[in-house]
Amino acid sequence: MLLVLIALFAVAGIAPFLFRMLGRSTFYVLAAVPALAFVWLLANFSSFIEADQGAASGSPNAPPVQMFNWLPSLGVHLDFRMDALAAVLCLLVLGVGALVLFYCARYFKNEDPHTGAFGAQLLAFAASMFGLVTADDMILMFIFWELTTILSFLLIGFNRTRMGARRSALTALMVTTFGGLTMLAGLIMLGTAAGTYRISEVLALAPELTRMGTYIDVAIVLMLVGAISKSALIPFHFWLPGAMAAPTPVSAYLHAAAMVKAGIYLIARFAPGFHETAFWQPVLLWLGLATMLIGGWRALKQNDLKLVLAYGTVSQLGFLVLILGIGTPNAAMAGLAMMLAHGFFKATLFLIVGIIDHKSGTRDIRQLSGLRSSSPVLFVVAVIAAASMAGVPPLFGFVAKEAVYESLLEHASSNGAPGMVLLLGVMLGSAMTFAYAARFLWGGFARKAGMKPTPFPKVPWLFLAPLLVLTLATVVFAWVPGSLEAAITPYVGLFPAADHPIHLAIWHGFTPALGLSLVSMSAGVVIFVARKRISKVQAMVPAYFDAERDYKLIITGVDNLAIWLTGRTQRGSLSFYLVVILMTALVLPTVVSLWLQTPAPGNLIAFDTPAQLVIGCIMILGALGALQANRRFLAVLMVSVSGYGMAAIFALQGAPDLAVTQLLVETIVLVAFVLALRALPVELWSKNPTGHRLVRALIGIGFGASMIYIAATSMASRIADPISLAYPELAYTGGAGKNIVNVTLVDMRAWDTFGEITVLAAAATGVASLIFVRGRGDKTLNAALVPRGSVDHGSEAIGGASHSRSGMAVAKNFAISSKDSWLVAGHTLAPERRSITFEVVTRLLFHTILLASVYLLLAGHNTPGGGFAGGLLAGLALAIRYLAGGRVELAEAIPVSPGTLMGSGLALAAASAVAPLFFGAQIFTSAAIEFSWPLFGDHKFVTSTIFDIGVYLVVVGLVIDVLRSLGSEIDERSEGRSPTDTHDLVSDAETGVGR
Amino acid sequence: MIDAPLSAVSFAPLAVALPIFGAALAFIMRRKRRTQITVTISVLVITLCLEIWMLATVWGGGTYAVTLGGWAPPFGISMVVDGFSAFMLVVSSVVCLAVLLYATSQGMADGDEDGPVSIFHPAYLILVAGVSNAFLAGDLFNLYVGFEILLTASYVLLTLGGTVARIRAGTTYVVVSVLSSMLFLISIGMIYAATGTVNMADLSLKLAEIAPGTQTVLHVMLLVAFGIKAAVFPLSFWLPDSYPTAPAPVTAVFAGLLTKVGVYAIIRTETLLFPGNKFSTALLVVAGLTMLVGILGAVAQTDIKRMLSFTLTSHIGFLIFGVAVGNQLAMGATVYYVAHHIVVQTSLFLVAGLIERRAGTSNIDRLGSLAKLSPLLGMLFFIPAINLGGIPPFSGFLGKLGLVQGGAEMGTPLAWVLIAVSLLTSLLTLLTIARIWNRAFWRKAEDAVDPDPLLLVGVGAKRGATYDIVADEPGSKYSDRGDSALLPKGMLAMTGALVLVGVALTVFAGPLFDFSDRAAEQLLNPGHYIEAVLGSTEGNSP
Amino acid sequence: MSTNVTLLIVMGVLFAVGIYLLLERSLTRVLLGIVVLGNGVNLLILASGGRRGEAPLYEADLGAEEYSDPLPQALILTAIVITFAVTAFMLGMIYRSWAISRADVVADDDEDLRVSQQSTFDFEEDSPVPEDTTEFDGDEIQPDTIQETGPRA
């Protein structure tokens, strides 16, 4: 069983390669696989039908099973079970599948490039159907179910360049997937209630489950939605005629024998256990009947032979669902027989249409004429198949229909009026079936008045062979229905035994059923003969019920809703997103904290020192000033006021490290701001067109107030001692340092610092990337190669210092005369840009600051400072030198590229972090090494200092990167020429990695 | 003595340190492009091996803590390796490696000699380090640092090349990310104020003792901060405006990983810091809205990358659904679904990159004929696409199945509503991808509204001659490279590899689900975590 | 633990100002907003450490609670640096934005605006399509023949 499945899928998988070698003859190879499987099925048939159908899987007399664990935690297993029902379906799936594939070998052109994929999909489809009917696990069944959906999507869309085909494929996909997903919900409800997903077990538990009432009723009806969507019942029927965009063999297989039968199968599978649930009969009987009638009605007005059959199929599917939905053993027998009959004749009819289309180039009734005489064999085949569809004796269709009438009569006798309505409805439907069968024959083969015979070449026997086989089945089984009855009977045994079990036979005697058959056939003749009058009536009756239009309305509605909602939410405006986020962040915690009991803020102190209050006020003023400031640099300065205020607060609060760091950071940030923003207009765009000042102010104030309150309540909630109480002791004994904060940073929480310098390196890279765009621009610049006085010529001096005329003269004099400038590259600067005082001061300060920075780095372990502060100080020294001497000076001051600096810093930090691992200690374990030098006395070296040196290097690298990017590079651009950089801004805008 | 299983886990910090070290080397060797590529790839491979080793160690269960620098918790920083974090590490590294190779192949094909590779590689490695750090963090503040590492790297990657569109998208992304980081930091401040600790295991104990009202406030604040990162409705609007403009490999890795880091943090918040699933109802509502609003957004789009961005946010809803249901079944399915979604969403963005390369656009109004021009591309799109749509038998279906089963087990009316919403979302996802398929792959390019010239050249000529005609066009971007430049083999191969990983998630779903079930058990019993971190001063505990 | 009202109020003002600036359209102001917000957050963390104490430089005879809390200080230091890094990056972005598009404002996303205004009529799905009554006139017979005109409306 599993072998068959694997073989089918495997051959499907290699099919495209086979096609490359064998061309369309590959279809014969593909057909051989289901054909062999069919033989296997027949050879073992007795073992499937002789087993006890209701027996639990695994018990000795149960049908053959193969079970594998797959997802035990989800209760999903790879369980396959070949019982009578599955075997009967497999006859159809494999048999018709083999024949259709065989037929394809003549249907398609040899050179069609898509046939490889097509063959694979069709065979995979057969495999999926095989899996679907043999799966003994609801989820596994669902998997195959959806596989058939996807494959049918691909197959319907085979003529991909036609819009109609694509659209039909999409419709079929959406409708059947909608049903499938609904079914999944039902299956999961069922599985959850039953505690198992094994179908045989669920069915065994059915009596208890049905007693659960509404829950199971709902589960079953959800499941049935899947069945009726797949089997194209109203209101889902419209996808099936649309699916006729598929190549005709596909229609023959999917829409006659296979896919649509999945829904029938599902109903048949669950009917024994659940046909008594509340919605089962109402849904299936009445939808079935309505579908049968509407399908028949529509079939009568089609001019495309294929559509006649398509609506006929819709009608027949309604019919099948109706019968199987009744849930009596006789109806089950009749239903399965009818399903087989339908498989035989409907596949044949579709294949006939395929041949007609193939040979004549049309399927339009209005263009076909005289095919009866030009292809008599095809005509005979068509007559037999159509007659079987119409329920004309002595064909298998008649045998099955007789059984149906018997079971319907039985149902009517026990159900009164509704049963009678059903019976009459079916009779009417059958009459229409007869009529459209006749219309098919007439339309396809008759010699029509005033039309020339359609040219029709001879049909090769190989092309006809599959049809003949199916026709043979239609004829032979009419006379020997016993073997099929034997196959169906075990399934029927799952129902409580019938009082008068029916049997399939061509002659039951003069029974009421025969009478009904005759009546409906006569009515059919009338309908066919009066076809012109009826079509007039049809043209007058508007389509009251047009599910396809409703489907389109729904899809358009979804599109409208999508556009409306997306337009409301996805505004494309950053401010809007921020407002939404801030409102969430403001409202939720505030509401919660006001609603729930939080500790009242307590233990309040107004301020620690009066100075704190003063600084606080200054900070507030600075912040408010930033709000008002209309000039860019003024706003920056105002923000800096609050930043420097932070440093003061830190200093007062007993946080010297923070104070130092904040001071340095604030300064560097200020420099960076000035450098980056000097190219931008002075005025800030204060008159904001989208305004909303009040809203923004309210959100801001609300957020601030809310955070004050939450912070106060959080502080009042503290009951435990902070872990940091242990820090002083840990830092001193474990970290060998007196500066607790520094030890925390480079040892206890060194991992944070490691991450932090990584952030720095990334940000520096980002700045370089944004300014240089292509690469880090790590080209070195040599002062000797830059002409004197060329740099920054014509651009305004940084800081906006205005030169008086005399001052300028001095500067020029200075610039030209000094042979040995104070700064290495000072002479490259344009004379008006130079400032003697600045250069002198820089000369004096630079190395002092550098020394101080190294001191901060090394002493940081015990006194305020550390690698970070040290690095910033060094960076500041470089910034001063850049400001004094220009970009060439910067390049001269530090010949190493920032990338290298940061890289080595990061590498050093990482290495010092990882090194302890090689000594068998944890990462970042530090060690204190004590040593004494002759002159300097005893020293203690803590290995975490190495890490701090890494930090130092990264920070210096960052500052240089910022200076080079926001400083030097922008300088160069504003100079309008660029000795190192050859690309201009416009072309930059087009570049980037990929697109 | 360190015995074998422990030693794997004690190397956990290397999962962060190695990529950073690699980035350092890449900085130093920025001129030698080949070396840089070699370094980056080998670092990622080594990291991946290490992570697989770690995953193997915790596969059967067990939570291990590493205390950095040997400082006893809660004073130092802890890293915690349990099933979930190890699994996330491996999945993210697999994806990162595949995307890196894809990007490398793209760079090779474009012949970028002095290109942004010198920025891309170190930034990429730093991104990987940040993601790994976030997964491993056992310390709330360190989690913040991890976030910052990955965010800063992502800022760099997103604005790579600095075009107008990228700067615009970058602004949205950076500002929103910074705001979310601020909110996170504020939450950390509040939490420290209330508890005096930042160690997550310690917090798990101490948060439970403070006033319930404060607990809830802090809980909400954390969820809002993480919700932005995870792109949960209504905090998700920034994402579709940010991701699609970046270079394809960057978008791919962002889409796959970054939101998942947010989801990861939410899961830790819900299971470790504030266990008990107190916000179940609220999260269910949020999950439903995330799914619906996201998927409707996708339906409205006409650009493949934007559609994918919307499906991305939409499917975050599935993960939140799992968290909100919060039983072991749903949590296990969530763990599995996270992995699925990372892999599939990344593959799809890689495919979108290939489409853009081949067709010159990712707008479906301008696309067509792709199935004919490159059947392989068709397969590479189709499989992950239906996987995303949750169509059996792929991992998307299995994950969804687990979530729905978990919801059914919960059984409340709201849970059933959510099941319905999740199924509807699957259906609309399918609609979206089927539309892409119909138009971009099946439709003839000439039938498109405004076909891209790159697709039209050669239509009508004999098959196979397409590229020659492109080559004849003067000034064509691909004039001298032909077929392999349109769709470089390396890029196809890497996309294919990820698609196969997605398929492997299905094939090995059995053991994976068993594993995620165990991981969920660990998540739902924070005792394991707390004991691993605080239970022994050795730093390691089984 | 004690709650310092001054610190909290300054924090609140910084938050309010920061958010007000953040919601501006001018990129420079947005960045200033971030910087101000960052300062506010640092104040919060500082306040979460409790009242002021001695600078955390170890002295043997000082009790642990005499120092001002060192842990928040370490956290703030990291936070300062990270905000610094982000600030530097955003400065680069502001410059870049100015350099390529002379814009100092946050632009709206064009694609979003386009999507919200598009029509729901879709040629692919909503245009009338002729019914085919055969499969054998299309290009599957001769897939390589040149189609002069596509079936465009």
Side-chain angles (χ1 to χ4, degrees), chain A residues 619-634:
Chain A
M619 286 178 70
I620 290 176
L621 288 176
L624 294 175
L627 282 186
Q628 293 299 321
N630 206 11
R631 300 188 139 235
R632 206 172 293 271
F633 288 120
L634 187 62

PDB file of all heavy atoms in Angstrom, chain A residues 619-634:
ATOM      1  N   MET A 619      18.437  72.159  33.622  1.00  0.00           N
ATOM      2  CA  MET A 619      18.202  71.140  32.595  1.00  0.00           C
ATOM      3  C   MET A 619      16.829  71.304  31.967  1.00  0.00           C
ATOM      4  O   MET A 619      16.653  71.179  30.748  1.00  0.00           O
ATOM      5  CB  MET A 619      18.327  69.745  33.199  1.00  0.00           C
ATOM      6  CG  MET A 619      19.754  69.336  33.481  1.00  0.00           C
ATOM      7  SD  MET A 619      19.830  67.720  34.246  1.00  0.00           S
ATOM      8  CE  MET A 619      19.327  66.692  32.885  1.00  0.00           C
ATOM      9  N   ILE A 620      15.851  71.571  32.842  1.00  0.00           N
ATOM     10  CA  ILE A 620      14.494  71.745  32.323  1.00  0.00           C
ATOM     11  C   ILE A 620      14.452  72.936  31.370  1.00  0.00           C
ATOM     12  O   ILE A 620      13.866  72.866  30.278  1.00  0.00           O
ATOM     13  CB  ILE A 620      13.496  71.933  33.485  1.00  0.00           C
ATOM     14  CG1 ILE A 620      13.351  70.605  34.226  1.00  0.00           C
ATOM     15  CG2 ILE A 620      12.153  72.421  32.980  1.00  0.00           C
ATOM     16  CD1 ILE A 620      12.480  70.660  35.442  1.00  0.00           C
ATOM     17  N   LEU A 621      15.141  74.004  31.792  1.00  0.00           N
ATOM     18  CA  LEU A 621      15.165  75.180  30.928  1.00  0.00           C
ATOM     19  C   LEU A 621      15.822  74.859  29.589  1.00  0.00           C
ATOM     20  O   LEU A 621      15.343  75.275  28.532  1.00  0.00           O
ATOM     21  CB  LEU A 621      15.899  76.329  31.629  1.00  0.00           C
ATOM     22  CG  LEU A 621      15.110  76.958  32.776  1.00  0.00           C
ATOM     23  CD1 LEU A 621      15.959  78.021  33.477  1.00  0.00           C
ATOM     24  CD2 LEU A 621      13.803  77.562  32.257  1.00  0.00           C
ATOM     25  N   GLY A 622      16.932  74.123  29.673  1.00  0.00           N
ATOM     26  CA  GLY A 622      17.620  73.746  28.434  1.00  0.00           C
ATOM     27  C   GLY A 622      16.701  72.969  27.516  1.00  0.00           C
ATOM     28  O   GLY A 622      16.612  73.235  26.309  1.00  0.00           O
ATOM     29  N   ALA A 623      15.999  72.006  28.112  1.00  0.00           N
ATOM     30  CA  ALA A 623      15.114  71.176  27.293  1.00  0.00           C
ATOM     31  C   ALA A 623      14.016  72.019  26.672  1.00  0.00           C
ATOM     32  O   ALA A 623      13.719  71.904  25.479  1.00  0.00           O
ATOM     33  CB  ALA A 623      14.521  70.057  28.155  1.00  0.00           C
ATOM     34  N   LEU A 624      13.426  72.893  27.494  1.00  0.00           N
ATOM     35  CA  LEU A 624      12.361  73.736  26.956  1.00  0.00           C
ATOM     36  C   LEU A 624      12.914  74.676  25.889  1.00  0.00           C
ATOM     37  O   LEU A 624      12.250  74.955  24.885  1.00  0.00           O
ATOM     38  CB  LEU A 624      11.694  74.531  28.076  1.00  0.00           C
ATOM     39  CG  LEU A 624      10.927  73.668  29.093  1.00  0.00           C
ATOM     40  CD1 LEU A 624      10.396  74.517  30.236  1.00  0.00           C
ATOM     41  CD2 LEU A 624       9.793  72.911  28.412  1.00  0.00           C
ATOM     42  N   GLY A 625      14.141  75.115  26.112  1.00  0.00           N
ATOM     43  CA  GLY A 625      14.787  75.967  25.120  1.00  0.00           C
ATOM     44  C   GLY A 625      14.925  75.249  23.789  1.00  0.00           C
ATOM     45  O   GLY A 625      14.711  75.829  22.721  1.00  0.00           O
ATOM     46  N   ALA A 626      15.248  73.957  23.875  1.00  0.00           N
ATOM     47  CA  ALA A 626      15.392  73.190  22.639  1.00  0.00           C
ATOM     48  C   ALA A 626      14.073  73.141  21.881  1.00  0.00           C
ATOM     49  O   ALA A 626      14.049  73.104  20.651  1.00  0.00           O
ATOM     50  CB  ALA A 626      15.873  71.772  22.951  1.00  0.00           C
ATOM     51  N   LEU A 627      12.979  73.158  22.621  1.00  0.00           N
ATOM     52  CA  LEU A 627      11.669  73.144  21.973  1.00  0.00           C
ATOM     53  C   LEU A 627      11.453  74.424  21.180  1.00  0.00           C
ATOM     54  O   LEU A 627      10.879  74.413  20.097  1.00  0.00           O
ATOM     55  CB  LEU A 627      10.558  73.064  23.021  1.00  0.00           C
ATOM     56  CG  LEU A 627      10.260  71.728  23.655  1.00  0.00           C
ATOM     57  CD1 LEU A 627       9.046  71.863  24.546  1.00  0.00           C
ATOM     58  CD2 LEU A 627      10.007  70.691  22.583  1.00  0.00           C
ATOM     59  N   GLN A 628      11.897  75.527  21.773  1.00  0.00           N
ATOM     60  CA  GLN A 628      11.620  76.826  21.180  1.00  0.00           C
ATOM     61  C   GLN A 628      12.618  77.187  20.089  1.00  0.00           C
ATOM     62  O   GLN A 628      12.293  77.955  19.194  1.00  0.00           O
ATOM     63  CB  GLN A 628      11.647  77.910  22.270  1.00  0.00           C
ATOM     64  CG  GLN A 628      10.511  77.772  23.271  1.00  0.00           C
ATOM     65  CD  GLN A 628       9.150  77.892  22.613  1.00  0.00           C
ATOM     66  OE1 GLN A 628       8.972  78.709  21.720  1.00  0.00           O
ATOM     67  NE2 GLN A 628       8.209  77.047  23.024  1.00  0.00           N
ATOM     68  N   ALA A 629      13.827  76.624  20.217  1.00  0.00           N
ATOM     69  CA  ALA A 629      14.913  77.090  19.355  1.00  0.00           C
ATOM     70  C   ALA A 629      14.555  76.892  17.892  1.00  0.00           C
ATOM     71  O   ALA A 629      14.141  75.814  17.479  1.00  0.00           O
ATOM     72  CB  ALA A 629      16.187  76.320  19.683  1.00  0.00           C
ATOM     73  N   ASN A 630      14.747  77.949  17.160  1.00  0.00           N
ATOM     74  CA  ASN A 630      14.394  77.887  15.760  1.00  0.00           C
ATOM     75  C   ASN A 630      15.614  77.669  14.893  1.00  0.00           C
ATOM     76  O   ASN A 630      15.520  77.249  13.755  1.00  0.00           O
ATOM     77  CB  ASN A 630      13.695  79.185  15.368  1.00  0.00           C
ATOM     78  CG  ASN A 630      12.789  78.951  14.192  1.00  0.00           C
ATOM     79  OD1 ASN A 630      12.559  77.812  13.830  1.00  0.00           O
ATOM     80  ND2 ASN A 630      12.311  80.014  13.589  1.00  0.00           N
ATOM     81  N   ARG A 631      16.764  77.989  15.467  1.00  0.00           N
ATOM     82  CA  ARG A 631      17.983  77.816  14.709  1.00  0.00           C
ATOM     83  C   ARG A 631      18.583  76.475  15.094  1.00  0.00           C
ATOM     84  O   ARG A 631      18.597  76.086  16.255  1.00  0.00           O
ATOM     85  CB  ARG A 631      18.970  78.949  15.006  1.00  0.00           C
ATOM     86  CG  ARG A 631      18.380  80.297  14.655  1.00  0.00           C
ATOM     87  CD  ARG A 631      19.416  81.380  14.773  1.00  0.00           C
ATOM     88  NE  ARG A 631      19.293  82.322  13.672  1.00  0.00           N
ATOM     89  CZ  ARG A 631      20.283  82.646  12.862  1.00  0.00           C
ATOM     90  NH1 ARG A 631      21.483  82.119  13.033  1.00  0.00           N
ATOM     91  NH2 ARG A 631      20.099  83.489  11.894  1.00  0.00           N
ATOM     92  N   ARG A 632      19.080  75.817  14.076  1.00  0.00           N
ATOM     93  CA  ARG A 632      19.560  74.459  14.265  1.00  0.00           C
ATOM     94  C   ARG A 632      20.582  74.340  15.394  1.00  0.00           C
ATOM     95  O   ARG A 632      20.439  73.517  16.303  1.00  0.00           O
ATOM     96  CB  ARG A 632      20.167  73.970  12.955  1.00  0.00           C
ATOM     97  CG  ARG A 632      20.149  72.495  12.752  1.00  0.00           C
ATOM     98  CD  ARG A 632      20.591  72.154  11.355  1.00  0.00           C
ATOM     99  NE  ARG A 632      19.644  72.608  10.340  1.00  0.00           N
ATOM    100  CZ  ARG A 632      18.616  71.882   9.913  1.00  0.00           C
ATOM    101  NH1 ARG A 632      18.423  70.680  10.379  1.00  0.00           N
ATOM    102  NH2 ARG A 632      17.794  72.352   9.018  1.00  0.00           N
ATOM    103  N   PHE A 633      21.613  75.207  15.332  1.00  0.00           N
ATOM    104  CA  PHE A 633      22.683  75.035  16.318  1.00  0.00           C
ATOM    105  C   PHE A 633      22.248  75.475  17.700  1.00  0.00           C
ATOM    106  O   PHE A 633      22.708  74.939  18.701  1.00  0.00           O
ATOM    107  CB  PHE A 633      23.934  75.802  15.879  1.00  0.00           C
ATOM    108  CG  PHE A 633      24.583  75.129  14.713  1.00  0.00           C
ATOM    109  CD1 PHE A 633      24.746  75.772  13.502  1.00  0.00           C
ATOM    110  CD2 PHE A 633      24.999  73.811  14.833  1.00  0.00           C
ATOM    111  CE1 PHE A 633      25.310  75.119  12.434  1.00  0.00           C
ATOM    112  CE2 PHE A 633      25.569  73.161  13.765  1.00  0.00           C
ATOM    113  CZ  PHE A 633      25.729  73.817  12.551  1.00  0.00           C
ATOM    114  N   LEU A 634      21.302  76.405  17.741  1.00  0.00           N
ATOM    115  CA  LEU A 634      20.799  76.809  19.044  1.00  0.00           C
ATOM    116  C   LEU A 634      20.088  75.627  19.699  1.00  0.00           C
ATOM    117  O   LEU A 634      20.276  75.336  20.888  1.00  0.00           O
ATOM    118  CB  LEU A 634      19.841  77.992  18.867  1.00  0.00           C
ATOM    119  CG  LEU A 634      19.374  78.607  20.178  1.00  0.00           C
ATOM    120  CD1 LEU A 634      20.577  79.156  20.943  1.00  0.00           C
ATOM    121  CD2 LEU A 634      18.361  79.721  19.914  1.00  0.00           C
TER     122      LEU A 634
END
